[in-house]
Amino acid sequence: MEVVSNISLKAYNTFGIESTARHFVEVSSVEELQELLRLQEWKNTPKLILGGGSNLLFTAQYDGLIIKMNIRGIELVEENDEFIWVKVGAGENWHEFVMHCIEQGWGGVENLSLIPGTVGAAPMQNIGAYGVEIKDVFASLEAVKIDTVQRQTFSGEECQFGYRESVFKTIYKGQYIIASVTFRLSKHPEINTSYGAIEEVLTERLGEVGVKSASIREVSDAVIHIRQSKLPDPQEIGNAGSFFKNPVVPREQFETLQQQFDKVPGYPVSKNEVKVPAGWLIEQAGWKGKRFGNVGVHDRQALVLVNLGGAQGEEVKKLAYDIQQSVEEKFGILIQPEVNII
Ligand code: EPU
């Protein structure tokens, strides 16, 4: 474990933004992490935990210690006739883990194929796509409390998962470092094709009857196809996936919007609340495909902001702010970033 100083963060964030870290260290085991946290030298230094860097935007040099999580390993911890429990190191790449599950025939994460980032970051914001969220396959996680350096296990209930939310983003923000996550996966997978786009792709590929008996690999392939057709590959165009969260509005507000904009899409999330796709709001406000210097709004999914090359974090932040303002003016809805702005 070696702490290095003044290193470039360009390769460590999928936006591809040039920034520097005052101090940077990689940890490869939970013991190593605890050893680092016990060092008096770093006790009062601000810390940033880095996974795949796929959900953050650097707007300035980071004047603290960046801890890059490199804890690896996929370990089978329990099984019965129906399920298998696997404990996965926080530093494992999420998509590689999903591919491993598909090869082994373990079902539950196939809809979450191709999501950038690491396993340890996934529960932080309860990652989700195409009708599935990590909470659906979550068993428990192990985290280290930064101030006491104690290990602690969290059940799903204790994580208080919500839409792109958990206690690690709210009441315990900045207090814990996730070291591993245990998933409960199915040996006899039941596929979830409730999301329209998956059903469409599978029907095209397998026919209407075939959809019902699609394998987890076929579902994963369909998800990969959909994502590749809409979302820019961060290797080619810097981005952090959805920049904003989809806003949830009271039903009455949604009904008022429907009177003004008859095509406004919405998905009820409870009796009194409706989720509105931020991508639609942004597109209607005229931003889709727009470019401003080194930054822009993706032309196939307006929820994604892109670095067209050499962008500064501040430029992306300014664009996000302008979009936020214009959406609020047009629709009276304040959309909030999903990405962590540092
Ligand atoms: N839409 C538009 N214009 C756009 C984009 C979207 O009109 O430019 C409307 C359409 O009505 C479309 C609807 O929004 O039917 C939903 O779009 P999409 O299926 O692309 O999903 P999303 O709600 O925009 C969310 C997640 C994505 C996830 C997809 C699929 C959030 C913030 N984003 O996007 O997650 O892949 O659903 O489940 O919840 C991410 O978090 O980085 C991410 C990519």
Side-chain angles (χ1 to χ4, degrees):
M1 190 170 54
E2 190 199 352
V3 179
V4 291
S5 297
N6 301 320
I7 76 147
S8 166
L9 292 171
K10 193 168 180 184
Y12 293 102
N13 72 99
T14 60
F15 248 123
I17 301 283
E18 187 60 90
S19 173
T20 48
R22 184 95 182 83
H23 306 288
F24 182 98
V25 64
E26 287 194 38
V27 292
S28 308
S29 67
V30 65
E31 291 78 16
E32 218 174 65
L33 174 63
Q34 288 177 296
E35 189 190 320
L36 174 76
L37 295 175
R38 282 196 196 101
L39 293 175
Q40 211 48 47
E41 192 185 346
W42 304 110
K43 277 271 180 224
N44 298 318
T45 309
K47 297 173 188 71
L48 176 73
I49 317 308
L50 190 65
S54 57
N55 205 39
L56 46 83
L57 174 67
F58 289 113
T59 56
Q61 124 139 349
Y62 186 71
D63 202 21
L65 174 66
I66 292 195
I67 303 174
K68 167 93 175 96
M69 293 302 282
N70 216 0
I71 303 176
R72 309 300 295 262
I74 301 179
E75 187 192 335
L76 201 161
V77 287
E78 202 184 323
E79 68 181 301
N80 62 25
D81 290 345
E82 266 182 86
F83 300 107
I84 188 141
W85 283 259
V86 277
K87 181 177 172 183
V88 188
E92 287 288 339
N93 173 277
W94 175 264
H95 180 66
E96 283 170 25
F97 164 61
V98 172
M99 290 296 103
H100 178 77
C101 294
I102 285 163
E103 266 148 41
Q104 301 293 321
W106 303 336
V109 284
E110 56 281 358
N111 293 44
L112 305 176
S113 298
L114 214 62
I115 296 186
T118 56
V119 167
M124 293 279 300
Q125 58 153 348
N126 183 26
I127 60 166
Y130 309 105
V132 174
E133 288 179 334
I134 196 181
K135 73 168 170 52
D136 305 326
V137 287
F138 181 90
S140 65
L141 66 78
E142 188 181 47
V144 176
K145 191 153 194 280
I146 296 177
D147 58 357
T148 62
V149 197
Q150 297 295 313
R151 295 186 188 194
Q152 205 171 313
T153 302
F154 287 79
S155 66
E157 208 176 309
E158 286 164 335
C159 291
Q160 293 178 30
F161 292 121
Y163 167 59
R164 295 296 198 272
E165 286 290 354
S166 77
V167 284
F168 304 104
K169 277 184 76 179
T170 55
I171 52 172
Y172 297 146
K173 193 173 171 165
Q175 294 183 34
Y176 287 90
I177 300 176
I178 297 170
S180 66
V181 184
T182 302
F183 298 94
R184 192 193 72 166
L185 301 162
S186 174
K187 287 183 171 176
H188 311 287
E190 266 177 46
I191 54 160
N192 177 339
T193 58
S194 60
Y195 204 89
I198 297 192
E199 178 121 24
E200 272 167 40
V201 173
L202 287 175
T203 308
E204 214 172 274
R205 291 181 175 183
L206 310 168
E208 246 165 67
V209 181
V211 177
K212 290 186 184 61
S213 55
S215 65
I216 54 174
R217 187 177 294 278
E218 283 160 338
V219 172
S220 168
D221 287 346
V223 167
I224 291 172
H225 173 80
I226 298 162
R227 288 188 78 94
Q228 285 176 337
S229 68
K230 279 194 180 184
L231 300 167
D233 178 354
Q235 305 276 0
E236 289 160 25
I237 306 173
N239 76 91
S242 302
F243 195 93
F244 297 98
K245 290 201 270 190
N246 287 330
V248 174
V249 303
R251 177 172 289 280
E252 301 85 73
Q253 188 180 359
F254 183 71
E255 283 164 0
T256 311
L257 272 177
Q258 277 180 313
Q259 284 159 16
Q260 292 172 280
F261 308 93
D262 62 342
K263 290 207 174 67
V264 58
Y267 313 97
V269 287
S270 68
K271 224 172 83 197
N272 300 315
E273 288 174 317
V274 180
K275 193 189 273 181
V276 183
W280 186 88
L281 299 170
I282 297 168
E283 181 175 346
Q284 295 302 310
W287 293 94
K288 196 171 186 171
K290 287 274 162 67
R291 292 162 163 245
F292 307 88
N294 300 322
V295 297
V297 180
H298 190 51
D299 55 1
R300 276 170 284 151
Q301 164 56 291
L303 202 46
V304 179
L305 305 188
V306 293
N307 172 4
L308 298 165
Q312 301 278 316
E314 276 298 336
E315 289 176 84
V316 181
K317 190 178 170 187
K318 159 106 179 30
L319 174 60
Y321 179 75
D322 291 346
I323 292 173
Q324 197 182 37
Q325 294 279 304
S326 107
V327 166
E328 193 179 18
E329 261 165 44
K330 189 169 167 91
F331 298 102
I333 297 176
L334 184 64
I335 52 173
Q336 297 291 354
E338 195 220 280
V339 167
N340 296 305
I341 301 172
I342 311 287

